[in-house]
Amino acid sequence: MNDFDNAPLLQPAAAILADWLNDRQNPEPHGLDLAITPDQLLPIVARLHEAWWGYLVAITGLDEGAAANQITVLYHFANGPAILTLRLTIP
C-alpha cells in the first residue's frame, strides 16, 4: 500500500510529479506537500498545467521571522478534495 491508495485524486499528481517527490509530506489523507527550490517551480507548474491536474487556489506567504532570515511561499493547488502544496523557501 502506498501513501496515495486512500487518495485516488493524488495518485495522478504523484505520477506527474514523480521527479520531485523526494522531499514530500502527507499532512492529511488528501494532501501532498512538496518542498521545492525556485528553479523547480515553473517546470512543476507547467507539468500540472499540461496534465490538466487541478487549479491554483491560493498563494500564501509565511514570514519566518528576522532570526530565520527567510520567507516561505506556499502555492496551493486543488483537484476536488485533493490538495497539493508547493513549499518554496526563499532566503
Side-chain angles (χ1 to χ4, degrees):
M1 180 173 183
N2 69 40
D3 294 340
F4 306 108
D5 287 341
N6 293 325
L9 289 174
L10 282 177
Q11 291 172 350
I16 293 163
L17 304 177
D19 295 341
W20 296 282
L21 286 180
N22 57 343
D23 193 5
R24 68 174 178 160
Q25 297 178 14
N26 296 88
E28 299 175 6
H30 295 286
L32 173 61
D33 281 12
L34 293 179
I36 64 170
T37 60
D39 61 315
Q40 294 173 325
L41 179 62
L42 291 180
I44 288 173
V45 172
R47 280 236 190 128
L48 291 171
H49 179 71
E50 290 165 4
W52 289 84
W53 191 94
Y55 55 93
L56 182 63
V57 178
I59 301 173
T60 306
L62 300 174
D63 186 344
E64 306 281 341
N69 197 30
Q70 65 186 21
I71 291 179
T72 300
V73 182
L74 305 174
Y75 296 87
H76 308 280
F77 292 84
N79 186 3
I83 302 292
L84 167 66
T85 301
L86 303 178
R87 182 177 296 270
L88 176 65
T89 300
I90 302 169

